[in-house]
Amino acid sequence: MKSICVLGLGYIGLPTASIFATKGHHVNGVDVSPRVVDTINSGKIHIQEPDLDILVRAAVQSGNLKATLKPAPADVFIIAVPTPFDVQTDGSRTPDLKYVESAARSIAPVVAAGNLVILESTSPVGTTEKVKEWIEDECKKLKRGQVDGILYAHCPERILPGQMLKELVSNDRIAGGLTPEASEISKKLYESFCSAQIFITDARTAEMAKLTENAFRDVNIAFANELSLICDRLKINVWELIRLANRHPRVKILQPGPGVGGHCIAVDPWFIVHAAPKEARLMRTAREVNDSKPHHVVAQVIQATQGITQPVVACLGLAFKANIDDLRESPSVEITAELAQKGLKVLAVEPHVEKLPASLEGKVELTDLTSALKHAHVIVLLVDHQAFGSLTLAQLAGKKLIDTRGMIKS
Ligand code: SAJ
């Protein structure tokens, strides 16, 4: 069994730290937030994900998971912190690696020869090499001299919010070391809970593979979103169109929606565009298509309110996708805020939260489905939550409907 230090106890770090702990490893989970550290040490969770509470409780009760504010010496260090981007004045996006750099430097006082440092955060190509440089630089500053024989690898996470615990175990993984030895040792480590295949490669390929997976999905969603715009213009039902086109054995079109949210698919393609701006033309355009979709939905709603005195709009769903409570980077929140900003009375229905995000507080009213349906003139279905699954066109008779997910059946 190894001692493992996991830096960052968010959506990726917490499940990863907990599952290693339940497999008998001694895990030190590190987070910069005292609230997060206290919550986890009391066996509770600060984020929502099905069954994560059970896993964390088991990990803490086993005595194998302890959360702290600072890293302690360990055999393995796993960095699982956010990697956002900055928007520049010319509109370009640059990766923001400050959390990775800070996590890497925080390891320097305790890292030792023979340790393995794994970067799990989705990162631009070359970041694992930078992690090595930052740790070496910090060791020098701390006058620890040259700490030899540290191994480095990128082992990107691939788990889908809403199904994280299942996918943590059942998804294939990639272990990309700066050296073959680092890849091999990483592979063995993840085999302690991953029941699928673990493929060995180098760090740069592993970094690019993770970005490629999310860029692939973004481009395909952009295709569906573009189709929805074309179909609106040509007065064709896009959902029926896609259903029919997908009957071709080699066609698999994804679903249009109100835009692409979350912290991965809407972010990662920019890392590729930033690294190869001349070549990544399709990926940049896909990002632009997906980012523009919320404005198209807002325009549709405004159009639908024409001729109604004091129109009331009900926005059904605020999360960035179905059946989760995560409102961060959500196109539904963006749309709801923009409608309120245009002076419309907006009712929001989000069965997965009890409180509005700060960007909507005081601007829209959080209410339940029955009340929203009763009072609204225009219904905007933004998230295909199961909770909205039984809605029918008959129930919405007399209202204007904008169904961005093609969910409501006749
Ligand atoms: N969406 C559509 N139409 C679709 C599919 C998705 O509009 O047909 C929208 C969703 O509503 C949502 C966004 O795209 O707003 C992203 O949702 P998602 O379920 O496709 O993906 P995420 O962001 O929850 O998780 C992704 C996953 N990556 C891939 O499927 C390639 C996951 O496996 C990664 O681990 C995760 O990003 C990550 O952490 O990178």
Side-chain angles (χ1 to χ4, degrees), residues 22-227:
T22 58
K23 297 295 173 188
H25 298 286
H26 301 292
V27 183
N28 167 211
V30 178
D31 203 280
V32 291
S33 158
R35 184 183 63 85
V36 169
V37 167
D38 290 345
T39 308
I40 292 164
N41 283 334
S42 67
K44 301 210 175 80
I45 55 175
H46 60 291
I47 47 180
Q48 291 310 314
E49 174 65 25
D51 299 333
L52 182 62
D53 53 342
I54 301 168
L55 182 72
V56 171
R57 204 180 314 125
V60 172
Q61 278 172 1
S62 72
N64 284 339
L65 173 63
K66 284 201 177 62
T68 60
L69 288 164
K70 287 226 157 74
D75 301 319
V76 180
F77 294 87
I78 298 178
I79 299 175
V81 295
T83 44
F85 60 67
D86 290 325
V87 183
Q88 304 303 320
T89 40
D90 65 358
S92 64
R93 271 74 164 169
T94 48
D96 174 0
L97 294 177
K98 66 171 172 291
Y99 302 113
V100 178
E101 177 171 357
S102 156
R105 289 187 184 275
S106 76
I107 298 171
V110 290
V111 75
N115 286 173
L116 169 66
V117 177
I118 294 176
L119 176 65
E120 270 214 26
S121 310
T122 305
S123 302
V125 174
T127 309
T128 311
E129 284 150 310
K130 281 195 179 142
V131 165
K132 177 173 185 280
E133 285 163 22
W134 285 322
I135 290 178
E136 287 175 352
D137 178 59
E138 197 64 23
C139 284
K140 236 182 254 159
K141 282 190 192 152
L142 295 169
K143 307 218 179 329
R144 293 198 65 201
Q146 183 72 35
V147 181
D148 286 323
I150 302 171
L151 302 169
Y152 294 89
H154 182 54
C155 303
E157 58 79 19
R158 287 170 148 176
I159 52 184
L160 192 74
Q163 298 185 38
M164 284 185 161
L165 299 197
K166 184 177 147 279
E167 294 207 352
L168 200 54
V169 175
S170 63
N171 282 3
D172 287 347
R173 287 192 83 110
I174 300 172
L178 287 188
T179 58
E181 190 190 359
S183 307
E184 278 299 341
I185 299 183
S186 303
K187 179 175 189 251
K188 286 214 175 66
L189 180 75
Y190 285 101
E191 276 168 356
S192 57
F193 68 78
C194 176
S195 62
Q197 293 196 66
I198 300 174
F199 296 91
I200 280 178
T201 182
D202 57 80
R204 290 174 76 83
T205 308
E207 288 159 347
M208 188 61 182
K210 169 68 200 207
L211 301 179
T212 301
E213 290 157 19
N214 281 350
F216 171 86
R217 192 136 168 99
D218 197 45
V219 167
N220 282 278
I221 298 170
F223 183 85
N225 276 334
E226 188 168 287
L227 260 187

Side-chain angles (χ1 to χ4, degrees), residues 114-369:
N115 286 173
L116 169 66
V117 177
I118 294 176
L119 176 65
E120 270 214 26
S121 310
T122 305
S123 302
V125 174
T127 309
T128 311
E129 284 150 310
K130 281 195 179 142
V131 165
K132 177 173 185 280
E133 285 163 22
W134 285 322
I135 290 178
E136 287 175 352
D137 178 59
E138 197 64 23
C139 284
K140 236 182 254 159
K141 282 190 192 152
L142 295 169
K143 307 218 179 329
R144 293 198 65 201
Q146 183 72 35
V147 181
D148 286 323
I150 302 171
L151 302 169
Y152 294 89
H154 182 54
C155 303
E157 58 79 19
R158 287 170 148 176
I159 52 184
L160 192 74
Q163 298 185 38
M164 284 185 161
L165 299 197
K166 184 177 147 279
E167 294 207 352
L168 200 54
V169 175
S170 63
N171 282 3
D172 287 347
R173 287 192 83 110
I174 300 172
L178 287 188
T179 58
E181 190 190 359
S183 307
E184 278 299 341
I185 299 183
S186 303
K187 179 175 189 251
K188 286 214 175 66
L189 180 75
Y190 285 101
E191 276 168 356
S192 57
F193 68 78
C194 176
S195 62
Q197 293 196 66
I198 300 174
F199 296 91
I200 280 178
T201 182
D202 57 80
R204 290 174 76 83
T205 308
E207 288 159 347
M208 188 61 182
K210 169 68 200 207
L211 301 179
T212 301
E213 290 157 19
N214 281 350
F216 171 86
R217 192 136 168 99
D218 197 45
V219 167
N220 282 278
I221 298 170
F223 183 85
N225 276 334
E226 188 168 287
L227 260 187
S228 75
L229 304 187
I230 296 168
C231 285
D232 278 354
R233 179 170 294 278
L234 302 182
K235 305 216 179 323
I236 291 168
N237 180 328
V238 70
W239 314 102
E240 188 191 355
L241 172 80
I242 291 175
R243 202 166 48 245
L244 295 174
N246 280 348
R247 300 306 298 178
H248 184 289
R250 284 175 297 283
V251 174
K252 181 130 188 40
I253 303 167
L254 293 181
Q255 298 297 297
V260 169
H263 339 287
C264 312
I265 293 185
V267 175
D268 304 351
W270 287 121
F271 295 171
I272 300 179
V273 174
H274 179 255
K278 283 214 181 79
E279 293 78 8
R281 292 181 299 157
L282 180 64
M283 295 183 206
R284 182 207 310 269
T285 304
R287 276 286 65 248
E288 288 165 357
V289 168
N290 287 334
D291 274 354
S292 70
K293 191 69 199 283
H295 310 302
H296 176 76
V297 175
V298 168
Q300 283 180 308
V301 178
I302 300 294
Q303 174 72 32
T305 60
Q306 298 306 304
I308 305 173
T309 0
Q310 295 189 320
V312 178
V313 178
C315 292
L316 307 190
L318 294 175
F320 87 80
K321 64 177 189 173
N323 307 321
I324 60 167
D325 70 340
D326 196 343
L327 309 189
R328 295 172 304 160
E329 320 297 335
S330 170
S332 309
V333 171
E334 189 184 340
I335 291 164
T336 308
E338 215 174 306
L339 290 172
Q341 204 217 343
K342 291 204 181 292
L344 291 167
K345 181 171 168 56
V346 181
L347 308 173
V349 182
E350 179 43 80
H352 297 271
V353 303
E354 270 153 27
K355 163 170 178 298
L356 286 169
S359 63
L360 297 182
E361 224 167 328
K363 296 177 189 149
V364 314
E365 190 187 317
L366 186 64
T367 184
D368 59 47
L369 184 58

